[in-house]
Amino acid sequence: MKSKLSLLVAGLALALITVVQAAAADVSGKWTAQVPGRNGQMREQTFTFKVDGEKLTGSVSGMQGAENPISDGKVTGSDISFTVAMSMGGNEVKLSYKGTIAGDEIKFTRSREGSDQKQEFTAKREKSGT
């Protein structure tokens, strides 16, 4: 009887760990990053996220403060991904973001559709009251 109870408890513990690991990280709120731009110059970019289950919505600040909506957003465990379409010099550009969430940081890789070039940067959660 004790071995069956121990097995049941071990199974429930494993199931709970699996559920916790699979749960989407809560990235809701504002995040900022120094993002590589033209000629290697860094510029600040703000990400505003809202999570509902695994669905990610929100916006990314663009040049001159324009807010560009996120599409195809997803958060699974510690992985985050989304795309942003924006206008650059009168041309429509689609950027893909993929990242790994670790506490109050997201390590991103950004790529431009039609280009092999990738840029890496880290976004940090804005603390409320600062």
Side-chain angles (χ1 to χ4, degrees):
M1 181 72 169
K2 282 187 176 182
S3 64
K4 286 184 181 179
L5 182 59
S6 295
L7 188 58
L8 177 63
V9 169
L12 289 173
L14 182 60
L16 180 61
I17 289 169
T18 302
V19 167
V20 169
Q21 288 176 340
D26 185 11
V27 296
S28 294
K30 288 194 176 210
W31 298 70
T32 56
Q34 294 297 316
V35 179
R38 290 189 176 150
N39 301 323
Q41 294 178 337
M42 301 300 274
R43 66 179 187 86
E44 187 169 286
Q45 195 164 44
T46 303
F47 301 83
T48 304
F49 297 133
K50 182 177 178 188
V51 178
D52 183 8
E54 288 189 348
K55 183 179 180 183
L56 176 72
T57 57
S59 62
V60 176
S61 66
M63 299 196 134
Q64 290 86 36
E67 293 294 319
N68 299 295
I70 290 170
S71 59
D72 305 319
K74 187 174 183 180
V75 179
T76 306
S78 62
D79 295 327
I80 183 172
S81 62
F82 57 91
T83 58
V84 175
M86 59 178 54
S87 178
M88 294 177 108
N91 297 316
E92 183 80 7
V93 175
K94 189 173 183 180
L95 302 172
S96 296
Y97 293 79
K98 292 184 181 185
T100 303
I101 306 156
D104 288 338
E105 291 189 347
I106 304 173
K107 294 196 182 297
F108 276 112
T109 300
R110 178 177 73 179
S111 59
R112 182 176 173 171
E113 187 176 72
S115 172
D116 291 336
Q117 184 180 14
K118 296 182 189 258
Q119 297 170 317
E120 294 182 352
F121 60 92
T122 300
K124 295 183 180 193
R125 185 187 305 265
E126 286 189 10
K127 304 288 184 189
S128 55
T130 57

